[in-house]
């Protein structure tokens, strides 16, 4: 669908290479936003995560997006939202943006390119969105370490199999794992993606959890419904809402 409607805002995704999915919504709903804090969304796409951050109380959100069409779509989504005065879409590479940026962010969030050294998709836009052709994981970690505030949080969504290497890169940059939440489709399914939370201060025991999205086909789990209740209209007044996948 070209327009994705949520409780408090709508997102046009006609020009987005990667469409909104349940994993991205869960990831956004669980975002550790500091009230009135500054948020940097790296690879903003159509602006979904930036908009969720604004809804959750961020004071200022900058979404940096390399692809011109996606950035223009994000800017349009920001203008139509209830938080237009808090949101800014920047068309730039995050590397160039970081070189010019002197501020620090309370939250840096990214749903980055998933694959390293992987066969590329046929479509150029989808290829750039799914593969780290413009931003390696090492570059992403280095930029986050430079721009994160002293007490800030770095929050990223990755395939489970990339988590160990990514966590090691973060540790080398002085960012320590605080929490790992893996998402699996059903109780019997293997987890595919993980939401990772990092901070500058080490913790004695990071939190590890597993979130099951569906109890059965089309029926969200209680945990997923609770997470998504703040975003999706279908969960606003029903405990037994049906999912669309």
């Amino acid at each position: 669908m070209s327009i994705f409607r949520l409780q408090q805002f709508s997102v046009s995704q006609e020009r987005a290479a990667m469409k909104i999915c349940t994993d991205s919504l869960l990831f956004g709903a669980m975002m550790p936003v500091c009230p009135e804090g500054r948020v940097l969304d790296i690879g903003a796409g159509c602006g979904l995560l930036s908009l969720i951050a604004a809804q959750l109380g961020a004071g200022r959100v900058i979404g940096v997006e390399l692809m011109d069409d996606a950035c223009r779509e994000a800017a349009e989504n920001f203008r139509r939202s209830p938080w237009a005065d808090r949101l800014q879409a920047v068309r730039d590479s995050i590397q160039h943006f970081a070189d010019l940026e002197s501020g620090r962010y309370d939250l840096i969030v990214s749903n980055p390119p998933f694959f390293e050294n992987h066969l590329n998709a046929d479509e150029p836009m989808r290829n750039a969105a799914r593969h780290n052709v413009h931003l390696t994981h090492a570059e992403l970690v280095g930029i986050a370490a430079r721009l994160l505030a002293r007490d800030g949080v770095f929050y990223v969504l990755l395939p489970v199999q990339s988590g160990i290497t990514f966590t090691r890169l973060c540790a080398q940059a002085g960012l320590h794992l605080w929490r790992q939440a893996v998402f699996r489709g059903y109780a019997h399914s293997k987890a595919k993606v993980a939401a990772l939370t990092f901070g500058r201060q080490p913790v004695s025991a990071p939190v590890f959890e597993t979130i099951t999205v569906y109890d059965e086909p089309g029926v969200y789990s209680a945990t997923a419904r609770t997470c998504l209740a703040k975003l999706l209209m279908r969960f606003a007044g029903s405990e037994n809402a049906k999912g669309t996948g």
Side-chain angles (χ1 to χ4, degrees), residues 5-158:
R5 303 187 188 282
L6 296 95
Q7 283 187 33
Q8 298 190 34
F9 62 92
S10 296
V11 177
S12 171
Q13 54 178 347
E14 184 176 355
R15 286 167 276 173
M18 301 302 297
K19 305 303 183 185
I20 294 170
C21 64
T22 300
D23 288 343
S24 61
L25 289 168
L26 280 171
F27 177 66
M30 296 168 59
M31 205 183 321
V33 175
C34 174
E36 298 301 318
R38 298 186 75 223
V39 176
L40 175 64
D41 180 4
I42 297 177
C46 63
L48 173 68
L49 296 178
S50 294
L51 287 157
I52 294 175
Q55 178 184 325
L56 295 179
R60 181 66 173 166
V61 185
I62 297 179
V64 179
E65 171 55 46
L66 178 62
M67 300 301 174
D68 186 62
D69 282 349
C71 189
R72 282 187 282 135
E73 191 162 53
E76 292 165 7
N77 288 329
F78 293 171
R79 284 194 295 270
R80 289 195 299 265
S81 79
W83 316 283
D85 59 335
R86 296 191 235 161
L87 291 153
Q88 179 183 0
V90 175
R91 194 278 187 210
D92 202 351
S93 72
I94 189 58
Q95 295 93 332
H96 183 255
F97 175 88
D99 285 342
L100 301 178
E101 179 60 88
S102 59
R104 294 295 179 267
Y105 293 86
D106 301 295
L107 172 64
I108 297 177
V109 60
S110 185
N111 183 354
F114 269 6
F115 302 112
E116 293 189 300
N117 302 319
H118 194 280
L119 292 176
N120 289 352
D122 293 333
E123 305 90 340
M125 286 180 61
R126 186 174 175 86
N127 169 61
R130 291 178 63 85
H131 300 83
N132 63 343
V133 294
H134 298 296
L135 177 66
T136 68
H137 290 172
E139 286 179 308
L140 174 60
V141 170
I143 290 167
R146 284 163 52 197
L147 298 184
L148 196 65
R150 180 179 178 181
D151 296 321
V153 175
F154 178 37
Y155 184 58
V156 62
L157 184 69
L158 289 172

